[in-house]
Amino acid sequence: MKEILETEVLIVGGGPAGCAAAIELARAGRDVTIIDKADFPRDKCCGDGLTADALRILENVGLEPSTVQNWNNIMNVIIHSPNGKIIELPLPQGRGQYAAVVPRIELDESLLNLAQNAGASVYTPVRFGQIKELNEHVEIATSDERKIVSRYVIAADGMWSSVRKAVGAGIDNYRGDWHAFRQYFSQTGPEAQHLRVWFEPDLLPGYMWLFPLPGQRANIGFGVLRGSHYEIGDLGKLWNNLLERPHIREVIGPKAIGEGNRKAWPIPSRLMDLLPYKGRIHFVGDAMGAADPMTGEGIAQALRTGRSSARAMIKAGPFKSLQAGETYQNAISAELGHDHRLAGKLQKLLERPKTAEMALHLADSNAWTRRNFARWMFEDYPRALVLTPNRWSSNMFNFDGAYQKNSATLTEPKAISSIVLGGD
Ligand SMILES: Cc1cc2nc3c(=O)[nH]c(=O)nc-3n(C[C@H](O)[C@H](O)[C@H](O)COP(=O)(O)OP(=O)(O)OC[C@H]3O[C@@H](n4cnc5c(N)ncnc54)[C@H](O)[C@@H]3O)c2cc1C
């Protein structure tokens, strides 16, 4: 063994969940250490889409959009229904950001820098090896032959969480609930400047997306539920087939070319089935199966669960691990439980093209439904808010977006005359 390192909280995994936890702990004056097996900046197979909920938490932790090169604020959404109907959904304008697309290679590096600046110690590339649970502390052996002794461990090590496996808290043969592909494209056409979602009948309740990036680039991908229409082995062929469908190719543009290889990765949405903590170990983000069962989005959920775990540890202090675990469990159940259950039910409804078409038809009824469906889709407020009166407040449907203070630079450019004259 090379060295023994002591820390109050060890976080395994420096993605959004791990960083949100680290920032919260470090700012509360706790001694916190992150290890990650990757060398940053590192890519993460993802759609790069940030919902209003994710954006508000990122603003809260102090992430500045201007410091992230390819941050793309999204102003409207175009949905292609199973019958091919095109529905345009506007997001509120001039009130901050409600959706954005940010390449994970940039987002995650910025978050890790924020954690380090807040005071967290970061060791990369260092892989989790073994774990020994003792009464008052936990011992971890790492790939660089270090032994780390800590009061708590936060397992933020993603879908295949090695920490979860090592402590026997996983589900046998679990391979995630969604399986998703994505690839970056450059030289995309003008129609690919908008955020698009295609509800192709053979993908339902899954969908295909095009999330635009600056410089005529886009993150394009699709996700399907495991065991729905296709065998996992056939998804590569399906990917090629989707890209050749004329109504999709037309939007991507004739000159668009794929960058590098397409990547595929599972998405876990099992918040209600997985153990949230075991003794002094908390599971957060994908390691907690926290992604939304209806859309597969997991960044906001990773940030939320990471932050809640940290808060529970801060509140309980280093010795009351049972209290920390229970507080964390209650927090995620209150923050995400209702929404996960509702999203799970809606996922079942969206399986049938007819019901999906009907739901989209309703969303497209008038300007109000279009505006509010877009906000609901992008998690401007919790999915099950209307069904949970304990979370109601007088302005619950009227929150500003994130980064409101920056919104002047992000909305449509003002007319030259108004800038010169100083008017609005
Ligand atoms: C194709 C696809 C598209 C998606 N699109 C979206 C989207 O548009 N919007 C959205 O909100 N969500 C999306 N998601 C979900 C989202 O990517 C995840 O929910 C999110 O990344 C979870 O964050 P996390 O911090 O829990 O885990 P991760 O981001 O996976 O981070 C885990 C970290 O742990 C490290 N690690 C793993 N094992 C070890 C080990 N043994 N030792 C040390 N370190 C380790 C990894 O290197 C990694 O840095 C998508 C997922 C996929 C697969």
Side-chain angles (χ1 to χ4, degrees):
M1 229 4 100
K2 229 186 343 190
E3 188 189 339
I4 298 181
L5 194 146
E6 283 185 24
T7 185
E8 194 174 334
V9 183
L10 173 69
I11 300 178
V12 182
C19 286
I23 293 167
E24 194 78 16
L25 284 157
R27 289 193 182 149
R30 301 305 154 117
D31 179 67
V32 52
T33 301
I34 299 179
I35 58 167
D36 196 296
K37 68 177 183 185
D39 208 1
F40 281 67
R42 65 103 181 86
D43 188 21
K44 156 77 177 82
C45 177
C46 186
D48 303 335
L50 297 177
T51 59
D53 195 26
L55 287 164
R56 289 198 185 99
I57 302 176
L58 292 172
E59 180 180 27
N60 189 262
V61 300
L63 188 76
E64 272 301 320
S66 59
T67 63
V68 182
Q69 199 186 352
N70 285 296
W71 185 291
N72 195 19
N73 184 29
I74 299 295
M75 314 296 271
N76 66 344
V77 178
I78 300 179
I79 307 263
H80 298 249
S81 83
N83 285 349
K85 190 175 170 205
I86 294 176
I87 302 168
E88 279 196 52
L89 305 170
L91 286 159
Q93 313 286 305
R95 294 181 51 195
Q97 300 190 33
Y98 290 83
V101 181
V102 184
R104 287 292 297 275
I105 191 164
E106 297 176 23
L107 177 74
D108 290 20
E109 189 188 25
S110 301
L111 276 171
L112 195 64
N113 288 341
L114 270 183
Q116 207 158 11
N117 292 341
S121 305
V122 176
Y123 296 90
T124 60
V126 174
R127 185 183 286 270
F128 162 85
Q130 288 165 356
I131 188 162
K132 201 193 265 182
E133 298 173 73
L134 298 155
N135 262 352
E136 300 278 288
H137 66 271
V138 182
E139 288 176 10
I140 287 213
T142 63
S143 57
D144 63 346
E145 294 180 21
R146 218 181 288 258
K147 179 159 116 182
I148 306 181
V149 177
S150 65
R151 291 285 179 205
Y152 290 107
V153 170
I154 297 182
D157 50 348
M159 159 67 212
W160 299 109
S161 177
S162 327
V163 179
R164 192 178 270 288
K165 276 193 204 111
V167 299
I171 299 173
D172 286 345
N173 298 320
Y174 179 56
R175 291 169 190 279
D177 301 279
W178 292 84
H179 202 74
F181 275 62
R182 80 98 221 257
Q183 187 170 14
Y184 289 107
F185 281 77
S186 22
Q187 295 181 40
T188 56
E191 290 299 314
Q193 315 273 306
H194 302 282
L195 188 146
R196 306 250 178 185
V197 176
W198 288 271
F199 288 104
E200 294 290 282
D202 58 334
L203 300 186
L204 291 172
Y207 57 92
M208 180 158 184
W209 70 80
L210 181 152
F211 289 175
L213 286 163
Q216 284 181 271
R217 293 181 70 227
N219 177 323
I220 299 177
F222 77 98
V224 287
L225 266 188
R226 282 188 81 87
S228 52
H229 303 273
Y230 292 94
E231 296 297 325
I232 297 295
D234 294 334
L235 293 181
K237 272 191 226 139
L238 174 63
W239 171 240
N240 296 333
N241 171 279
L242 284 166
L243 290 174
E244 281 163 13
R245 294 184 188 181
H247 60 291
I248 294 176
R249 191 73 224 177
E250 197 186 335
V251 168
I252 299 174
K255 293 193 184 138
I257 35 172
E259 299 172 10
N261 293 328
R262 63 175 190 232
K263 287 190 177 169
W265 198 251
I267 306 179
S269 49
R270 284 290 180 96
L271 189 79
M272 311 319 288
D273 300 336
L274 286 164
L275 208 62
Y277 75 98
K278 180 169 183 280
R280 298 186 158 270
I281 304 156
H282 290 194
F283 304 97
V284 298
D286 274 7
M288 184 53 228
D292 185 282
M294 190 181 71
T295 61
E297 287 153 348
I299 300 173
Q301 291 77 357
L303 294 165
R304 266 187 184 278
T305 49
R307 191 176 64 173
S308 295
S309 160
R311 286 181 180 167
M313 288 176 184
I314 294 165
K315 196 167 168 207
F319 301 109
K320 297 182 185 157
S321 58
L322 183 62
Q323 184 191 327
E326 282 180 353
T327 307
Y328 172 54
Q329 178 160 15
N330 293 338
I332 57 173
S333 164
E335 283 181 44
L336 296 170
H338 295 294
D339 309 309
H340 263 247
R341 277 188 287 272
L342 178 72
K345 285 183 186 145
L346 292 174
Q347 179 209 84
K348 299 246 160 357
L349 276 181
L350 287 176
E351 265 168 23
R352 285 186 296 259
K354 241 187 184 166
T355 355
E357 192 70 43
M358 228 158 67
L360 291 170
H361 181 73
L362 276 178
D364 193 29
S365 303
N366 55 50
W368 187 89
T369 54
R370 279 189 286 277
R371 210 170 44 245
N372 283 288
F373 182 67
R375 292 176 58 195
W376 178 80
M377 223 172 113
F378 281 89
E379 296 178 332
D380 181 26
Y381 44 85
R383 294 227 188 282
L385 185 64
V386 284
L387 305 175
T388 45
N390 58 327
R391 296 190 288 182
W392 291 358
S393 67
S394 54
N395 66 340
M396 64 187 185
F397 294 123
N398 204 24
F399 288 126
D400 281 333
Y403 300 109
Q404 165 73 337
K405 65 179 181 344
N406 300 345
S407 65
T409 55
L410 292 162
T411 48
E412 298 298 314
K414 284 181 177 180
I416 302 265
S417 59
S418 73
I419 295 172
V420 174
L421 300 171
D424 251 327

